[in-house]
Amino acid sequence: MVDYFAPWCIWCQCLAPTGGKFAAEVKSQKIHLGVGKVDCVQHQQMCKDERVMAFPMLRWYEGGKAIMPDYRGDQTVEALLEYAKQRVSSSKGGGDDDQAEDESTEEHHPGLGFVMDM
């Protein structure tokens, strides 16, 4: 999961502590997931290529491909963990039939192919 942010964005500033706690929980719970951040001021071309339109933008990647739609749920550690566990489970084929059906209709977006550590 990648957090695209701008340092001047007040919503990004509010999310920053949550992102750090989320990354720590992912590590402590041994969830098979990379968590990263991209500063769109320093990496303008990358964010343009990724079609980042608003901040913060939380995007899930599988196999180097962005999975749409971007995350729009609650920006709490608990909500992010629940979402991440569901995505990891469904990407391993462990999801229920409803999740599998939802995945088959998702649009893929050109991906990064790497994740920067938080």
Side-chain angles (χ1 to χ4, degrees):
M1 180 177 261
V2 178
D3 172 13
Y4 291 94
F5 74 99
W8 49 260
C9 168
I10 190 71
W11 301 111
C12 298
Q13 293 169 20
C14 292
L15 180 62
T18 301
K21 291 174 187 173
F22 169 68
E25 280 296 313
V26 165
K27 185 175 182 178
S28 75
Q29 294 185 27
K30 297 181 173 134
I31 300 170
H32 187 69
L33 169 67
V35 178
K37 292 178 75 164
V38 175
D39 180 334
C40 287
V41 171
Q42 291 184 349
H43 303 283
Q44 290 179 8
Q45 188 61 50
M46 178 189 301
C47 294
K48 182 179 177 182
D49 293 345
E50 288 298 310
R51 300 181 194 141
V52 175
M53 305 289 180
F55 302 112
M57 181 171 289
L58 300 174
R59 187 168 285 167
W60 186 268
Y61 288 84
E62 288 181 17
K65 293 181 180 179
I67 305 299
M68 295 297 177
D70 293 319
Y71 178 75
R72 299 276 187 235
D74 289 340
Q75 294 182 356
T76 64
V77 174
E78 295 78 17
L80 291 169
L81 284 170
E82 182 178 333
Y83 175 77
K85 288 175 182 177
Q86 288 175 352
R87 295 300 315 189
V88 168
S89 174
S90 67
S91 70
K92 291 180 180 177
D96 60 24
D97 291 338
D98 291 337
Q99 285 176 327
E101 186 176 310
D102 289 345
E103 284 185 318
S104 68
T105 62
E106 287 183 291
E107 173 187 344
H108 284 73
H109 185 280
L112 291 174
F114 66 91
V115 175
M116 298 177 184
D117 289 332
M118 289 185 85

